[in-house]
Amino acid sequence: MTEFDGDVVIITGGASGIGRATASLLHSRGARVVIADVNGPAADELAAELGEGALAVQVDVSDSASVQHLITTTVEQLGRLDVLCNNAGFGFRGNVTTIAEADWDRLMSVNVRGVFLCSKYAMPHLAATGTGRIVNTSSYTSLVGIADRAAYVASKGAVTALTRAMALDHVAEGVRVNAVAPGTIDSPYFGTMIAEADNPGELLDELNGRAPMRRMGQPEEIAEAIAWLASSRSTFATGSILTIDGGSSAW
Ligand code: NAI
């Protein structure tokens, strides 16, 4: 018997970075995982790599019909839904004067509306188990703010606030809602940014320097925290925002 035996877990953005590490960890601990990602081929590849107990579903979390398809496919094929990890998201540079309106709207539709839609359609199934769990991937920037990331910081502020609101709204149904607030993580998102930078060494120093630990975190270090919040070891936690950031928010 392993920790997540019998549990069905959806991980949005599950094909890369933090989501990929989370899908792999929960699968290794006995969960049946649904790798839900807009990048269908990458989700298929990870599901094939993990083997039995892993299902790939292509989804755009900002699109209602696509999200409803994800939830019905999960319940039809795997019979239940115990955990939803709202992890899909992205960011870009800019302040309110430089960010284009369309870019702001797109980011909000994935990072905030995506959490709303997935939670909305998953909630009845999570409640039906009596012990449903939602784990959102927020960011330490929702707690302290950083420069030149206005849309991203605003979106994660909304995710942190929505985590607390959902925790209160659904506590009576037995659904616990928590979030991780990662610091700067060495995921493919930053890997690409570093590779394409004019001065990769300088950017790497800047990213490592964001934390008192003077390094970026690894996706696996966030997956451990998501796994704890998704497990029955955290039964008194709801509405928690768990910072895992090498000390960035302590500065
Ligand atoms: P990543 O870029 O490695 O992975 C994100 C995944 O989300 C990708 O597989 C992508 O295809 C998928 N995705 C993007 N838009 C989607 C959509 N509309 N529908 C479904 N899937 C979609 O990124 P990473 O770094 O692993 O980020 C995961 C989460 O962690 C994001 O919410 C991000 O904001 C958050 N985060 C990341 C930090 C970092 O430093 N990397 C720090 C704090 C939070």
Side-chain angles (χ1 to χ4, degrees):
M1 181 83 179
T2 52
E3 188 172 20
F4 289 97
D5 256 355
D7 280 352
V8 174
V9 182
I10 290 176
I11 301 124
T12 70
S16 175
I18 294 168
R20 183 186 174 94
T22 302
S24 303
L25 181 64
L26 296 185
H27 184 264
S28 76
R29 293 185 183 171
R32 288 177 288 161
V33 295
V34 180
I35 301 151
D37 204 291
V38 75
N39 185 342
D44 287 341
E45 203 175 295
L46 179 58
E49 197 181 298
L50 295 179
E52 199 184 330
L55 174 71
V57 179
Q58 184 167 23
V59 66
D60 177 351
V61 296
S62 68
D63 181 83
S64 178
S66 182
V67 169
Q68 290 180 60
H69 171 259
L70 164 67
I71 304 297
T72 43
T73 302
T74 299
V75 174
E76 276 171 19
Q77 295 206 18
L78 303 177
R80 57 189 290 130
L81 176 59
D82 298 275
V83 180
L84 168 67
C85 297
N86 281 312
N87 170 78
F90 71 101
F92 51 74
R93 287 183 186 276
N95 61 50
V96 293
T97 61
T98 60
I99 293 171
E101 291 182 32
D103 292 340
W104 172 279
D105 290 345
R106 179 64 192 148
L107 185 140
M108 289 296 166
S109 77
V110 174
N111 290 14
V112 185
R113 180 178 156 84
V115 176
F116 160 64
L117 287 175
C118 292
S119 303
K120 179 179 178 65
Y121 292 108
M123 195 61 79
H125 303 287
L126 295 169
T129 70
T131 58
R133 286 87 78 197
I134 293 179
V135 185
N136 297 324
T137 307
S138 186
S139 165
Y140 83 104
T141 63
S142 73
L143 305 170
V144 297
I146 58 169
D148 201 31
R149 292 284 193 287
Y152 181 75
V153 172
S155 76
K156 293 301 184 180
V159 172
T160 286
L162 182 56
T163 299
R164 294 184 176 124
M166 289 197 295
L168 298 178
D169 287 339
H170 300 285
V171 68
E173 295 158 77
V175 178
R176 296 189 294 113
V177 186
N178 295 288
V180 288
T184 305
I185 304 303
D186 184 13
S187 69
Y189 170 71
F190 280 119
T192 308
M193 198 189 284
I194 292 165
E196 291 172 356
D198 293 338
N199 189 336
E202 199 174 289
L203 178 58
L204 187 59
D205 284 348
E206 181 204 318
L207 295 172
N208 285 332
R210 282 183 182 177
M213 283 190 180
R214 299 286 173 198
R215 69 170 176 88
M216 286 187 273
Q218 293 302 313
E220 291 73 18
E221 293 177 291
I222 305 305
E224 285 288 349
I226 294 174
W228 182 72
L229 289 170
S231 78
S232 58
R233 287 177 292 139
S234 58
T235 39
F236 198 47
T238 199
S240 297
I241 312 299
L242 180 55
T243 52
I244 306 286
D245 62 1
S248 293
S249 56
W251 253 339

